[in-house]
């Protein structure tokens, strides 16, 4: 009976071997088009490092999965493993059992590839602590490891660390959003604590940005917090929101909301918007050029008596909690790509009646903001609403 070294020697004689240098050249000069490079190692080995541009088909799944990676059996297929043994076995199976006509395996595997000083790709992964922290996310198929990594790489901006921004800050931090920007120029007041749960009794008088940062880090020290203790205005909005993936609108006044709309459409950043009054909440997602914008929905400001920010309106403390968490869910869907967002839909929540109602919102083809090319929105036009400030001041 032949021993293992004899068998592998025999197999090696029957499969074509390619030097890492030739594979490298193939990738470098672009002549590798139509060639499939397959890593046949196990998942943990692939996760550590692999050849850029390679596809992963573990040896144990070769027969069932290779057709997904290389559907055409006359295509050139180059296999590699760690040191060149498993790829020889796999190449043998591909040509003998599966009928591939143009199979090679790489000499010396990725070990020799690395020895030659060629680049490898290290896919992002979770640290052992992150694996434990986010294990319940990773178990959800719609999120999984890939979705969790997207969350960790995401940058989300919270406009306001008040009633809506507080629950959003806490849950988005817990969910592992990598960077949380927080814009708020206020300090914590005793009357805030009825609903703004990111703050606490012992932080009364502290800037809300600092207080929210403390709360975020108590839950998840990994989250990077960017603080903007300013009032959002035409002079700073472009600089602040640029670079964020999603914006959570927890603004308390209409002029800034219009300004935010115009700036986010111009920079193509989706906004998850919510507002509350009394026992009622509204929620929507505005994804520029993909759905309606805020001005498509509200072309003109609401009548003065309905503008809650203009006076000190009362609110059920739990309501912004509900709406802020619904915003957080939309943020996670936008970042991970899971599910259907509220893009093009307006969700109304009536807490007293315990009902959710949904309205379709269509893009206005004549919208002054989202119907034109973003670069055509001039600085002067952005957020400009004739007499708006006056209107609000009048309702004081
Ligand atoms: Zn629009």
């Amino acid at each position: 009976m032949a021993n293992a070294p004899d068998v592998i020697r025999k197999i090696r004689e029957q499969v074509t071997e390619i030097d890492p240098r030739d594979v490298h050249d193939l990738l470098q000069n672009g002549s590798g088009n139509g060639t499939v490079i397959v890593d046949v190692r196990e998942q943990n080995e692939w996760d550590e490092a692999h050849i850029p541009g390679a596809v992963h088909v573990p040896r144990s799944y070769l027969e069932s999965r290779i057709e997904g990676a290389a559907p055409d059996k006359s295509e050139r297929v180059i296999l590699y493993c760690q040191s060149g043994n498993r790829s020889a076995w796999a190449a043998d199976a591909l040509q003998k059992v599966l009928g591939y006509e143009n199979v090679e395996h790489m000499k010396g595997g990725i070990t020799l590839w690395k020895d030659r000083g060629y680049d490898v790709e290290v896919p992002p992964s979770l640290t052992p602590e992150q694996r434990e922290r986010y294990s319940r996310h990773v178990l959800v198929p719609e999120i999984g490891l890939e979705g969790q990594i997207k969350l960790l790489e995401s940058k989300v901006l919270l406009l306001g660390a008040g009633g809506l921004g507080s629950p959003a800050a806490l849950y988005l931090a817990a969910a592992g959003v990598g960077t949380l920007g927080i814009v708020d120029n206020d300090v914590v007041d005793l009357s805030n604590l009825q609903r703004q749960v990111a703050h606490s009794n012992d932080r009364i008088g502290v800037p809300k940005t600092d207080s929210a940062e403390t709360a975020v880090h108590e839950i998840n020290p990994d989250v990077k917090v960017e603080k903007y203790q300013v009032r959002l205005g035409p002079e700073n909005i472009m600089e602040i929101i640029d670079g964020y993936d999603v914006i959570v609108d927890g603004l308390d006044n209409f002029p800034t909301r219009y300004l935010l709309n115009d700036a986010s459409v111009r920079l193509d950043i989706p906004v998850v918007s919510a507002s509350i009054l009394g026992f009622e909440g509204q929620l929507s997602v505005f994804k520029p050029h993909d759905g309606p914008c805020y001005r498509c929905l509200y072309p003109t400001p609401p009548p003065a008596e309905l503008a809650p920010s203009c006076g000190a309106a009362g609110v059920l403390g739990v309501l912004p909690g509900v709406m802020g968490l619904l915003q957080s869910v939309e943020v996670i869907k936008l970042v991970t790509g899971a599910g259907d967002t509220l893009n093009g839909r307006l969700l109304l929540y009536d807490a007293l009646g315990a009902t959710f109602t949904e309205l379709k919102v269509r893009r206005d083809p004549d919208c002054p903001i989202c119907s034109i090319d973003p670069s055509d929105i001039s600085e002067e036009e952005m957020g400009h609403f004739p007499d708006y400030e006056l209107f609000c001041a009048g309702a004081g």
Side-chain angles (χ1 to χ4, degrees), residues 292-293 295-296 367 370:
C293 77
R295 284 213 201 193
C296 294
C367 172
C370 77

Side-chain angles (χ1 to χ4, degrees), residues 261 292-296 363-364 367-371:
N261 178 69
C293 77
Y294 190 74
R295 284 213 201 193
C296 294
R363 255 182 105 173
D364 174 5
C367 172
I369 296 301
C370 77
S371 71

Side-chain angles (χ1 to χ4, degrees), residues 239-253:
E239 201 185 322
I240 290 175
I241 71 171
D242 196 11
Y244 282 94
D245 302 310
V246 185
I247 297 170
V248 178
D249 169 9
L251 293 167
D252 60 359
N253 68 87

